Amino acid sequence: MTTTTLPRTQDLSEGALGMALLDIERRDLSTARRHLARATARGVSTGSNASLFHGAPALEFVLSRAHSADDDVRAAVDRVVDARLAAAHRRQATGALPHLAEWDLVRGMTGLAALLLSRRPPAPRLPDVLACLVSLAQHGRCEGRMVPGWWSPVGPDGKEMAGGHGNNGMAHGIAGPLAVLSLALRAGVSVPGQEEAVDTFATWLDRHGAHYWTTAAHLDTDQPPAAEPARQSWCYGQPGIARAQQLAAHALRDPARRQRAEDTVETILTDPLRLARITDSTLCHGWAGLLALARAVAADSPAPARFIPIIHDLQRRLAADWERLPKPGFMEGRAGARLALDATDTTGWTRVLLLT
């Protein structure tokens, strides 16, 4: 197995790997093999950018949907995990705050945790990755101020931002660690401090989850300011956060939190003004992601019937629009939209979104 960097061919978001997920879910293995061959024609990346959405970990996730990830692929992923853990430990030793790419779902250890949790049995390295995510619940310091341990010293775009920010979304924010730690608890996998970290992250999102991210100015107020009207989606916004909160509620056996999370999803997905801000059909930030999310929320609700009209409405909106998507891929293209519209999850593909 060689190492190279080919972001388009090995990218789960846009490349052939993501397209293979649809083929595998549909049991079209011959087409899946062609997509996989295209993705791996020049080797598999195990470099510093390898993650659940790129390189060897992405390849393992896709192959595992067809029960065909071999020992070589898993060994390559284990090397990626070891390197990422070592880098995180070096950063922790300096007392520096982490960058989002260290721990988020798309690029970091939240995504690696989701992958390792999906192995059967869960991977031996999983507790070490979970422990790194739990450590985010400790406080840090930014420009002389006490901040959460997941606070980023730069802005969400990676550029300098006075005072840094606390990212709240599912794709790049603390909702991701909240979801994967909660899913691990539900699967019977835990490390010291995990329940306390879940409570810390969930409580933070109770206060700040209406915002895409929290700024230093928000920390100076008794209550964060009202959020500006914004697109609500899986990747950023209250629907993704609410699913993470629902998972946390099940993990912590907290029916009141579960009720609030489900109420939030229902309120947002029946509000014409909020729905009017959704402008495409993608999994990442459009109808497909909201549809997959609504199904997951309904499946874990004691009152799933309340979501049936919402699911039917989202299906209608997605069916009317998905073919106009210009990209063919998974997160922002037709393959992902088609997966959501097909309404099946026999392979567990929704695990990559931390919905299940």
Side-chain angles (χ1 to χ4, degrees):
M1 184 170 291
T2 58
T3 299
T4 187
T5 300
L6 294 171
R8 290 304 173 197
T9 56
Q10 294 175 35
D11 177 38
L12 185 60
S13 295
E14 297 182 19
L17 281 181
M19 296 165 69
L21 279 178
L22 175 62
D23 304 326
I24 294 169
E25 181 68 23
R26 290 180 158 186
R27 300 183 182 180
D28 182 0
L29 297 185
S30 62
T31 304
R33 290 188 194 100
R34 290 197 295 272
H35 281 132
L36 289 167
R38 176 183 165 198
T40 60
R42 292 170 57 193
V44 180
S45 174
T46 57
S48 60
N49 64 342
S51 67
L52 179 59
F53 280 78
H54 178 73
L59 178 63
E60 180 187 337
F61 182 83
V62 174
L63 290 175
S64 294
R65 301 314 98 201
H67 308 288
S68 58
D70 61 23
D71 289 343
D72 285 345
V73 172
R74 285 189 288 269
V77 171
D78 289 345
R79 292 195 296 274
V80 170
V81 172
D82 288 342
R84 298 298 287 271
L85 285 169
H89 293 154
R90 289 194 297 271
R91 189 271 306 165
Q92 290 170 343
T94 70
L97 288 167
H99 286 266
L100 300 182
E102 177 185 303
W103 57 264
D104 73 9
L105 170 62
V106 174
R107 299 166 295 176
M109 277 192 282
T110 294
L112 295 177
L115 174 61
L116 298 181
L117 184 61
S118 75
R119 289 186 185 176
R120 292 292 178 265
R125 287 169 172 78
L126 177 59
D128 293 332
V129 178
L130 295 178
C132 267
L133 295 175
V134 166
S135 72
L136 297 174
Q138 301 170 7
H139 287 298
R141 298 194 71 83
C142 182
E143 300 179 8
R145 177 198 299 272
M146 191 75 72
V147 294
W150 64 89
W151 198 263
S152 173
V154 298
D157 58 0
K159 298 179 181 178
E160 185 175 348
M161 178 180 185
H165 84 293
N167 202 291
N168 297 325
M170 183 71 97
H172 297 295
I174 200 59
L178 175 61
V180 80
L181 290 174
S182 299
L183 287 165
L185 286 171
R186 292 182 73 181
V189 182
S190 64
V191 297
Q194 188 165 333
E195 288 196 15
E196 293 82 358
V198 166
D199 183 69
T200 294
F201 302 156
T203 301
W204 170 271
L205 291 171
D206 288 341
R207 178 180 173 86
H208 295 280
H211 293 266
Y212 279 7
W213 49 76
T214 302
T215 67
H218 292 173
L219 301 182
D220 294 329
T221 61
D222 292 335
Q223 288 292 331
E228 296 291 330
R231 179 183 62 200
Q232 299 296 316
S233 59
W234 165 81
C235 61
Y236 270 112
Q238 290 178 285
I241 290 170
R243 175 53 177 164
Q245 290 276 35
Q246 186 194 35
L247 291 170
H250 281 285
L252 299 177
R253 299 165 295 281
D254 184 345
R257 180 176 298 281
R258 178 195 54 73
Q259 185 69 51
R260 290 195 300 273
E262 293 173 15
D263 289 348
T264 295
V265 172
E266 182 179 31
T267 297
I268 289 171
L269 297 185
T270 56
D271 182 346
L273 294 178
R274 288 186 171 102
L275 293 177
R277 293 184 175 275
I278 306 300
T279 58
D280 67 48
S281 297
T282 64
L283 279 176
C284 188
H285 41 254
W287 301 121
L290 292 173
L291 177 56
L293 183 150
R295 288 200 188 101
V297 169
D300 273 345
S301 172
R306 70 190 291 202
F307 297 101
I308 291 175
I310 293 170
I311 290 169
H312 287 167
D313 179 58
L314 294 172
Q315 285 175 322
R316 177 185 60 79
R317 293 173 185 270
L318 178 58
D321 192 59
W322 75 275
E323 290 181 298
R324 287 196 285 269
L325 288 171
K327 295 181 180 180
F330 177 63
M331 287 301 290
E332 295 187 355
R334 296 184 298 276
R338 189 72 241 190
L339 274 165
L341 193 60
D342 284 354
T344 64
D345 190 20
T346 57
T347 63
W349 68 267
T350 57
R351 293 176 186 174
V352 79
L353 304 177
L354 290 182
L355 294 177
T356 58

